[in-house]
Each structure stands twice: as C-alpha cells, then as structure tokens.
Amino acid sequence: MTFDTQEVLPEQMQFRLDKLRTLEEEGKSPYLLTSCRVTHHAEDIVQDFDKLEETEVRVAGRLMGKRGMGKVSFADLLDRTGTIQIFSRKDNLGEESYGAWQELDLGDLVAVSGQVFRTKTGEVSIRNAEWTLLAKSLRPLPEKFHGLRDTDVRYRKRYLDLMVNPEVRDTFIKRSRIIQLIRRELDGRGYLEVETPLLNTIAGGAAARPFVTHHNALDLDLFLRISPELYLKRLIVGGLERVYEIGRNFRNEGMSTRHNPEFTMLELYEAFGDYHTMMDITESLISKAAEEICGGYEIDYQGTPISLAPPFRRISMIDAVREHTGLDFAVLTSDEEAREAASAYGLEDVGPAMPWGEVLNACFEEYAEDKLIQPTFLIDYPIEISPLTKIKEGTKGRLTERFEIFIGGREYGNAYSELNDPFDQRRRFADQQRRHEAGDQEAQLPDEDFVESLEYGMPPTGGLGIGIDRLVMLLTNQPSIRDVLLFPTMKPLD
C-alpha cells in the first residue's frame, strides 16, 4: 500500500485515500509514472493565443478549481506561470475517462493534452482530449475563497502558501529577478562573482554575535560566517580587483520583522575605488531594480510614498543629528562634553566611559534614523564603530569614510573606503579584542592572517554590503523579512 497509516483521518482525507487505494488495486497508481512531457505553460498559451489557436498542446499542473457536473465541465489548472482553463466534454473523453476526470479532487496534479481555443466568454482554454493523473492530493487545500491567511501557517508550510496565494508566488519571482539584475549589472561592470567559506575559524567582518559549530574530524570549533568581508578583501590583495558575492550570512541575535538568523547579503569590493564609488554603485543598483520590478522610481512602501530616482541625498551623521536635535558634535569635542550634552537632551543609557563616537551614533539612532524616509546616504561615521574603515582626512582621526543607505527610516546597506594600513588595522583589532574581553559579544575578534595579507599591500579599495532581503521587502511592499524568505526560521511548535 502506498499510503499506510494507523492515524484516524479526517473524513475528506479518508475519502481521497480510498480513491487512491482503488486506483492502486486497478494498477493505475499515479506514483508508477516516472516522467511527464510538457510542451507549453499556462502563461505562454494565453500570451501567444493567436499563434497557438487550434494547436495541440500538453500542460501539467495542479487542479485549483472545478465547475460543472453534467456532460461538460471546466477546471482551473495552475502551473509555475499561472492558471489556464481546461474544458472537458464527455463526448470527447468517453464515458469512463470523463467519469474519472470528474472524480478528481482539488489539489490533484494532472497532465492534459488538447487543442487551444477561446470559449464563448472569451477565456483562453484547452479542450481536454487526454489526461493523466500525476499525483494525488491526499490532504484538502485551504478553503478556496479565503485562501491561506494565518501567517504562522504560511511561513511554516510555504508550499501551501505558494499554491493558494498568487501574490506570494509573485513576490518570490520578483526576488529572483532582483538578484538576476544585480548580477547582470555587476558582471557588466567587470566584477567577478566568487564564493568564500561559510565555516570560519574567526568570526570577522562585522560586529555581530556568531553561531558556533564543531568539526568532528578536526576537533575544532568553527563559526558560521557573519560576513564574507575579510575573505573578499584577501582577493583584492591577490589582484582580482573587482569581486562580489551574493550569499548567506548567519548572526545569532534577536529576531524581528527585519531580522532573521540567516539572511542574504550582497558584498562587493573594487580596487582603486572608495566610498564615493560605492555610493554611485548603490544608487545605480537600487534605482535600476525599482525600474525593472516596480516599473518606475516612484513606489509606495507600507503607505509611505518613496522616490528612488537618483541622485540620493547625502548627509553626514553629525549634520543629521544637528538637524533633528540641535546637538552639534562638531563643537562637542571631548567625550565628557558629548556625554553631558546627550544626557541633558534626554538620551538614556549614556555610560560613564562611552566615547564621543558612540554617543554620536546613539543620538543618531535615537533621534534621526527613523526620519530618513527618502533615500539618503548617511556619511562620515565615527571611528569607534568603524573598525575596518579608512580615516577621513581633516577630521583628526575621529571620522571615517563610511556610509549607510537609509530608506523609509531603515538601513539597507553599509559601505566604506577600506582600511589598508596593516599597523592601524592591528591597533583597531586590539581595541576590539579589549571590548570583547570586557563583555561585548559583538566585538570583532582579531584576524592575524588578514592583517598579514595587508602587509603584502592592498590597494585603496571601496567596499559595499546590501541586504538583499530588505531590498526585496522594499520593492515588493512586504512588511516582514519572513514574507521574502521562502523558509524563515521558526520556533518548533513542540
């Protein structure tokens, strides 16, 4: 028996199981089929009707609707491109085949052969001349008119979500198109796509808490990567000059509508570039993606109109804080002055040892970040929160050539002129080590091999990271990162 269970089944499921058992007893089990030749897809037939009218085609998909119980009936067949109507007539199929067709259940997978035509109501359809059951849907689909709306069930059973919610299918098709566009643009600029390790001996390249795993043969603890940055910059040292990677990163941190423990990032590095180069690339990638996916620069994200037309605004972190608070960190020159001014303004959790740069960043996150609605490059970050970034000239070592791109009050990417001074890099790693030993679990651990690679000489380089998931959220108007991940991380029900 193909489906054997001692479980007490719901009536609808038991009814479908009995149908399957009857087919097996007659030697007609669909699971004996090994392949199915398909000549066309639903969307192609509808779009090319003028060329395909009265042509014999063969399609395959899932039955999503049935109408008519007499000698003529209609059904909706869903494949990966869309839905097409199947017209079945008892006189065409014969009594036995037509009777078996009428016994099919919603959700069953079938192949249908027949001629393409248009019904009297104008709907492109296929005359059912021959059909084959490919797989039996033993469980009934979610109720047709209400679909699948429980978000927890949708995320846990994405296969059902994709079956019954066409807008979900469209979101993930657009996600694929966005990634294709990014690859096409970067390949056209002479970038080389590469792959770097997911298992790292040192969790480096970003400030984040890593996942830890263990390699049995080597008896070695390893980290799932939090960023490919340090490996990609090694490739710049090696002379590849323009490289990028689109892949998964892993961070053992909180979960929210914008955070999932594993997520997809684009990271790219260009020798002889800087953070201005990266701003130009970021602007180009986002605006072109909007054109292709949304049909133009003007979009609506969760009720907020946003224009992704270049050029994007550019403002320093100091100016952004001054604009929204009146606090001027250009004249608050000491750590103590910065702490006192921020505390007086109302900023909480200002520690007694918090340095100037961290106070500036805290003020930005608290008072200015959510005000950056239209695309904005926030530039010139303090050195305390930029351990891999080149110092900006004329700032007395306090600011770095770094930016983040903000849209709708959220950060979408991070970039900078890469630090290529091995002595400075070693000093900054040492500072991060002290922070880690003091309890900062997100501080970066020193990577001596990376510093050694810098000692061979790395050219001036611009680097950029863009969160693919957040970009897809923006361009498909989705409120949660779980809506753009096929299989988001979920806590087990038990």
Side-chain angles (χ1 to χ4, degrees):
M1 183 60 63
T2 303
F3 190 86
D4 189 15
T5 179
Q6 302 300 317
E7 179 184 1
V8 178
L9 300 176
E11 182 178 348
Q12 278 189 299
M13 189 173 174
Q14 185 64 59
F15 184 61
R16 294 178 179 219
L17 180 58
D18 290 342
K19 291 183 181 180
L20 176 61
R21 284 174 173 154
T22 299
L23 290 172
E24 289 185 334
E25 290 168 0
E26 296 174 352
K28 300 177 181 178
S29 171
Y31 305 127
L32 297 176
L33 297 173
T34 57
S35 64
C36 172
R37 184 180 63 87
V38 173
T39 63
H40 294 79
H41 292 96
E43 184 177 286
D44 303 326
I45 294 172
V46 174
Q47 290 182 348
D48 297 333
F49 172 76
D50 292 340
K51 297 179 181 178
L52 294 174
E53 186 175 10
E54 299 305 324
T55 299
E56 185 86 13
V57 298
R58 183 173 173 82
V59 296
R62 190 178 297 276
L63 287 180
M64 300 300 291
K66 294 176 66 181
R67 301 171 296 284
M69 297 300 293
K71 295 182 179 181
V72 173
S73 63
F74 298 87
D76 299 319
L77 185 141
L78 174 70
D79 68 13
R80 66 179 176 85
T81 66
T83 302
I84 191 160
Q85 180 170 269
I86 307 298
F87 171 81
S88 301
R89 185 191 295 272
K90 186 176 182 179
D91 292 345
N92 292 344
L93 287 173
E95 185 171 347
E96 182 179 351
S97 179
Y98 183 75
W101 173 264
Q102 292 295 84
E103 284 294 312
L104 293 175
D105 296 298
L106 296 185
D108 287 351
L109 289 160
V110 297
V112 176
S113 299
Q115 289 183 331
V116 177
F117 77 109
R118 194 187 294 275
T119 65
K120 292 180 180 179
T121 60
E123 185 165 356
V124 176
S125 305
I126 298 173
R127 290 192 185 94
N128 189 354
E130 183 182 7
W131 65 274
T132 304
L133 177 62
L134 303 175
K136 187 69 184 170
S137 177
L138 297 174
R139 297 179 182 271
L141 300 183
E143 201 275 321
K144 174 182 176 183
F145 295 103
H146 297 95
L148 186 62
R149 294 290 175 253
D150 186 308
T151 54
D152 190 71
V153 175
R154 287 181 49 231
Y155 299 149
R156 293 180 187 278
K157 300 183 185 295
R158 184 67 84 185
Y159 47 90
L160 288 179
D161 195 21
L162 293 168
M163 279 184 212
V164 302
N165 292 326
E167 68 277 8
V168 174
R169 296 160 65 91
D170 184 58
T171 292
F172 288 103
I173 291 170
K174 287 179 177 177
R175 178 188 175 105
S176 180
R177 288 174 57 198
I178 290 168
I179 294 174
Q180 289 172 0
L181 177 140
I182 290 171
R183 284 196 166 101
R184 187 167 67 244
E185 288 296 314
L186 293 178
D187 292 345
R189 291 172 178 259
Y191 279 79
L192 179 69
E193 184 173 10
V194 298
E195 295 175 304
T196 60
L198 294 178
L199 294 175
N200 296 171
T201 54
I202 297 172
R209 186 175 180 178
F211 286 95
V212 182
T213 187
H214 186 79
H215 190 289
N216 291 332
L218 296 177
D219 191 22
L220 178 67
D221 283 341
L222 295 168
F223 302 100
L224 296 184
R225 79 172 177 201
I226 57 176
S227 167
E229 176 169 343
L230 301 187
Y231 281 104
L232 291 172
K233 287 198 282 194
R234 285 173 169 91
L235 300 181
I236 297 295
V237 172
L240 293 186
E241 292 191 356
R242 295 188 181 190
V243 294
Y244 76 93
E245 181 171 12
I246 299 175
R248 279 292 213 244
N249 290 346
F250 307 84
R251 298 183 183 178
N252 195 1
E253 300 168 338
M255 297 173 63
S256 72
T257 56
R258 289 181 289 165
H259 298 89
N260 193 69
E262 55 177 311
F263 57 97
T264 303
M265 284 286 294
L266 160 70
E267 288 212 22
L268 62 90
Y269 294 84
E270 180 175 334
F272 314 113
D274 60 11
Y275 77 146
H276 295 290
T277 311
M278 296 300 106
M279 281 186 239
D280 294 339
I281 292 176
T282 303
E283 202 169 68
S284 176
L285 290 177
I286 293 177
S287 61
K288 286 184 177 180
E291 276 190 296
E292 179 160 320
I293 301 302
C294 306
Y297 298 134
E298 310 305 315
I299 68 170
D300 180 278
Y301 183 71
Q302 299 297 298
T304 300
I306 294 174
S307 174
L308 298 176
F312 298 165
R313 182 191 187 199
R314 305 182 183 192
I315 185 174
S316 72
M317 183 181 285
I318 287 178
D319 288 342
V321 171
R322 183 192 300 117
E323 182 178 292
H324 294 287
T325 68
L327 297 174
D328 190 351
F329 279 77
V331 298
L332 298 170
T333 56
S334 72
D335 295 345
E336 184 177 355
E337 284 180 317
R339 290 193 294 264
E340 288 179 353
S343 295
Y345 190 80
L347 183 68
E348 299 179 354
D349 300 323
V350 180
M354 185 179 285
W356 177 90
E358 290 188 9
V359 178
L360 169 61
N361 183 60
C363 286
F364 166 73
E365 291 180 344
E366 181 68 23
Y367 303 116
E369 180 173 349
D370 62 357
K371 311 295 193 307
L372 303 182
I373 303 302
Q374 300 306 315
T376 302
F377 289 117
L378 187 78
I379 65 175
D380 302 344
Y381 274 57
I383 191 172
E384 289 90 343
I385 59 170
S386 310
L388 299 169
T389 311
K390 184 166 287 191
I391 292 172
K392 182 178 178 69
E393 289 187 20
T395 65
K396 300 179 181 179
R398 286 201 145 174
L399 300 178
T400 62
E401 292 191 348
R402 175 186 173 190
F403 75 80
E404 288 185 314
I405 174 70
F406 287 87
I407 306 171
R410 297 178 175 181
E411 180 249 323
Y412 284 81
N414 181 29
Y416 34 85
S417 302
E418 303 295 335
L419 180 63
N420 62 345
D421 179 344
F423 303 104
D424 193 3
Q425 184 65 80
R426 186 173 277 112
R427 284 192 295 269
R428 297 201 208 181
F429 273 151
D431 178 63
Q432 291 288 305
Q433 177 71 44
R434 285 190 292 271
R435 293 173 181 235
H436 188 272
E437 292 172 352
D440 184 354
Q441 294 183 319
E442 295 187 354
Q444 298 191 51
L445 296 174
D447 188 335
E448 185 57 37
D449 180 75
F450 172 66
V451 177
E452 182 178 322
S453 75
L454 295 183
E455 291 174 341
Y456 285 94
M458 185 177 86
T461 297
L464 166 66
I466 293 179
I468 296 294
D469 308 309
R470 293 187 183 182
L471 181 59
V472 175
M473 287 171 61
L474 178 71
L475 297 180
T476 60
N477 195 23
Q478 297 300 324
S480 171
I481 191 172
R482 292 183 175 185
D483 293 313
V484 299
L485 296 174
L486 281 169
F487 301 103
T489 302
M490 303 289 288
K491 185 177 181 180
L493 291 174
D494 57 357

